[in-house]
Amino acid sequence: MSDDPRPNILFIMSDDHAAHAISAYGSRINETPHIDRIAQEGMLFENFFCTNSICSPSRASILTGTYSHINGVYGLHEPFDGRQTTVQRLLRSTGYQTAMIGKWHLGHGGNADPQDFDYWNVLPGQGAYHDPEFFTMGERQSYKGYATDLITDFSLDWLEKRDPNKPFFLMCHHKAPHRPWEPDAKHAHMYEDMDIPEPETFHDDYATRAEAAKVAAMRIDRDMRDGTDLKGSPPPGLSALEQKQWRYQRYIKDYLRCVASVDDNVGRLLDYLDETGLTGNTIVIYTSDQGFFLGDHGWYDKRFMYEESLQMPVVVRYPEEVKAGTKAEAMALNVDFPLTFLDYAGVEPPEEMQGQSLRPLLQGSVPENWRQSMYYRYWMHLDNDHNVYSHYGIRTHRYKLVYYYAQALGVIGSKDEDRPPEWELFDLERDPCELNNVYADPAYQDTIAQLKAEMHRLQQEVKDQPVEEID
Ligand code: CA
């Protein structure tokens, strides 16, 4: 038993695991019993969003509590500057033992290496699924095994060896289920004799939508690479539709097999907490750095502000404060994580952190002035792989307004070619699948004016610079 009564924090984060591939979130395509267990014994967040839907930026926001334009990680190519104020530094300086194990993806060397962790053991860059190398406290080493199992092994090992007199903060970051979706032997044959249901929007034709949706290079039928993204290629003689369906099945099954291994490994960590009597005083979080398109809109990948990509799955268990089987409808963001952890640790959050502590929501109440809208920005304009336009926007509980400003603005990995800017508006109550852009509908003009004003207010609040907007 720890001398320090503050709770332990076990933060389990996977990479690109969309909420709609978690059964607690109503998945139609798989079962995740161990992640579900966290929800059943704790709280599930229904409206948890990332502020920039791509790997490195979301990770930087989770460490710093700041948006991309403040922490400097706009896309995949800016190394994180670890001299910034981070949650692990504040926790460590007040007596927590800290560890970062698994996918880091914020650069390597100098200020980009993990800092203020008592122990760190991270994959280089994206890392490999099979027999991966790790930077173990800076030293490159190869390990035999499967990344998801190894990351859990290292986490359990660190927990076992830690000083039990101090609380811990462990970030256990899986590589899975990021592409190239390589399952382990144990799950390689799951779903073999069945078809996974196709999403409702699988055959989206992008009518009514911005050019950005039409030109994005993330279509399952056109942009997936055989041999790397997909293991194999469609057999000869299939129609175009059959090829698309074949590709979806191949993709989604491998993705879900990787998820199944993540879920098993979540179970191993939960078992360890039970066996060592830590369950009661440990806050357990399961999340993913952003969402993902699972054939929705005919796509894979993320980046867009559309729901499947914007939403982060978040389930939290903390028996001392969080009522079992509850759901939070209030809006929460990735920048809220560090403030939440500091709140539980009794540490005053620094001025520069931009999120809110989620502790009141976890305790079952929504503060009167809680946010009713959120600001999003994706910066990498026309990146080589996915061709998505840079955009920003606002989401409220009912609406989503998106502005594709479509300029590089010097962001690394962007192509310096402007595209005509465009707006999209979705009425999520009437159109939850976001198929019908109603920006030009006269009935919504008052709503649009209000949303724009609110978006500009949010930009000011988070200290972002808007671009010049057309109507
Ligand atoms: Ca990711």
Side-chain angles (χ1 to χ4, degrees):
M1 192 64 193
S2 171
D3 302 334
D4 184 332
R6 294 180 298 168
N8 305 303
I9 301 166
L10 171 56
F11 182 77
I12 311 169
M13 182 163 76
S14 56
D15 194 338
D16 294 0
H17 187 186
H20 52 312
I22 293 178
S23 29
Y25 277 90
S27 169
R28 299 159 60 235
I29 56 176
N30 69 333
E31 297 284 338
T32 48
H34 301 291
I35 297 168
D36 293 2
R37 187 186 155 196
I38 302 175
Q40 283 150 13
E41 297 175 0
M43 179 175 276
L44 177 146
F45 283 82
E46 294 175 316
N47 291 297
F48 206 113
F49 304 116
C50 62
T51 49
N52 179 0
S53 180
I54 188 165
C55 303
S56 312
S58 186
R59 287 154 199 274
S61 287
I62 289 167
L63 296 181
T64 59
T66 60
Y67 289 74
S68 308
H69 58 277
I70 303 288
N71 61 50
V73 181
Y74 295 90
L76 298 177
H77 305 290
E78 299 88 0
F80 179 67
D81 187 340
R83 290 172 297 184
Q84 303 178 64
T85 303
T86 56
V87 65
Q88 72 271 18
R89 180 178 311 148
L90 294 167
L91 291 175
R92 191 187 192 199
S93 68
T94 61
Y96 272 76
Q97 294 164 90
T98 59
M100 162 71 227
I101 296 169
K103 185 161 173 183
W104 171 245
H105 205 202
L106 286 167
H108 299 289
N111 291 320
D113 271 336
Q115 293 184 37
D116 301 293
F117 291 106
D118 295 304
Y119 177 73
W120 54 277
N121 194 3
V122 300
L123 294 163
Q126 295 283 4
Y129 272 108
H130 293 282
D131 299 336
E133 292 189 312
F134 280 78
F135 285 124
T136 309
M137 300 294 283
E139 203 173 308
R140 201 165 184 130
Q141 296 189 36
S142 284
Y143 295 87
K144 285 272 170 239
Y146 186 65
T148 311
D149 296 333
L150 288 169
I151 289 163
T152 309
D153 294 345
F154 298 150
S155 298
L156 290 169
D157 196 44
W158 182 78
L159 286 171
E160 196 60 28
K161 289 180 185 153
R162 80 190 198 285
D163 176 357
N165 294 315
K166 288 173 159 186
F168 66 80
F169 174 56
L170 168 57
M171 305 189 91
C172 170
H173 288 190
H174 291 294
K175 166 190 175 54
H178 193 279
R179 71 206 282 191
W181 311 302
E182 292 173 6
D184 62 350
K186 185 179 163 196
H187 301 93
H189 300 288
M190 269 182 107
Y191 312 111
E192 216 160 45
D193 300 317
M194 60 181 289
D195 280 341
I196 307 288
E198 290 168 4
E200 211 177 317
T201 59
F202 190 45
H203 299 295
D204 191 355
D205 61 4
Y206 317 108
T208 84
R209 310 253 291 290
E211 193 66 15
K214 297 171 186 139
V215 303
M218 49 174 78
R219 291 193 203 173
I220 285 176
D221 60 356
R222 189 189 64 188
D223 303 311
M224 274 193 157
R225 288 171 239 160
D226 293 347
T228 52
D229 289 338
L230 287 181
K231 316 303 173 280
S233 48
L238 298 185
S239 69
L241 172 65
E242 287 165 340
Q243 284 193 38
K244 180 178 178 181
Q245 291 172 325
W246 187 95
R247 286 176 187 281
Y248 169 73
Q249 293 297 330
R250 182 54 63 97
Y251 151 58
I252 201 69
K253 285 179 183 178
D254 277 342
Y255 178 93
L256 295 176
R257 289 162 181 153
C258 293
V259 167
S261 157
V262 170
D263 189 65
D264 285 357
N265 277 288
V266 168
R268 291 176 65 204
L269 286 167
L270 296 180
D271 287 348
Y272 179 84
L273 297 180
D274 286 344
E275 287 156 13
T276 50
L278 290 169
T279 298
N281 197 34
T282 301
I283 302 169
V284 182
I285 298 102
Y286 179 81
T287 188
S288 167
D289 56 349
Q290 15 58 215
F292 212 70
F293 297 106
L294 305 176
D296 315 280
H297 304 289
W299 290 332
Y300 59 98
D301 215 71
K302 56 260 181 179
R303 296 161 196 267
F304 277 107
M305 200 183 163
Y306 300 122
E307 290 295 275
E308 296 84 355
S309 152
L310 179 71
Q311 185 183 15
M312 296 166 75
V314 176
V315 290
V316 183
R317 183 184 75 182
Y318 180 39
E320 286 190 18
E321 271 192 29
V322 182
K323 209 167 152 209
T326 49
K327 289 187 176 177
E329 204 208 338
M331 228 180 248
L333 304 175
N334 57 357
V335 290
D336 296 335
F337 276 129
L339 289 107
T340 308
F341 303 154
L342 294 176
D343 193 347
Y344 277 108
V347 179
E348 193 66 32
E351 190 74 1
E352 60 264 38
M353 287 195 177
Q354 297 178 303
Q356 300 285 331
S357 168
L358 301 173
R359 192 170 183 176
L361 305 185
L362 288 162
Q363 290 169 329
S365 68
V366 183
E368 219 168 282
N369 56 351
W370 193 257
R371 71 167 72 87
Q372 298 296 316
S373 61
M374 61 83 59
Y375 178 61
Y376 178 87
R377 186 162 185 174
Y378 173 75
W379 294 81
M380 288 181 80
H381 180 59
L382 298 175
D383 76 292
N384 281 337
D385 277 347
H386 302 92
N387 211 41
V388 174
Y389 293 0
S390 52
H391 56 285
Y392 56 61
I394 176 175
R395 190 195 189 284
T396 65
H397 282 282
R398 174 153 181 192
Y399 296 105
K400 187 183 291 177
L401 178 74
V402 188
Y403 186 54
Y404 296 94
Y405 60 90
Q407 301 170 47
L409 303 175
V411 170
I412 310 170
S414 296
K415 201 182 286 171
D416 196 13
E417 287 174 20
D418 294 3
R419 295 284 186 268
E422 275 182 279
W423 292 92
E424 282 183 336
L425 174 70
F426 299 102
D427 182 339
L428 300 172
E429 201 173 283
R430 292 186 180 162
D431 177 27
C433 293
E434 301 169 300
L435 294 171
N436 196 18
N437 170 19
V438 292
Y439 186 77
D441 184 334
Y444 285 98
Q445 296 315 298
D446 287 348
T447 302
I448 289 171
Q450 286 162 16
L451 289 168
K452 283 185 181 175
E454 174 65 2
M455 183 176 77
H456 295 141
R457 188 192 68 78
L458 287 175
Q459 282 174 324
Q460 211 162 24
E461 187 179 283
V462 304
K463 304 184 177 73
D464 194 17
Q465 296 293 325
V467 299
E468 202 177 323
E469 291 162 6
I470 55 128
D471 272 343

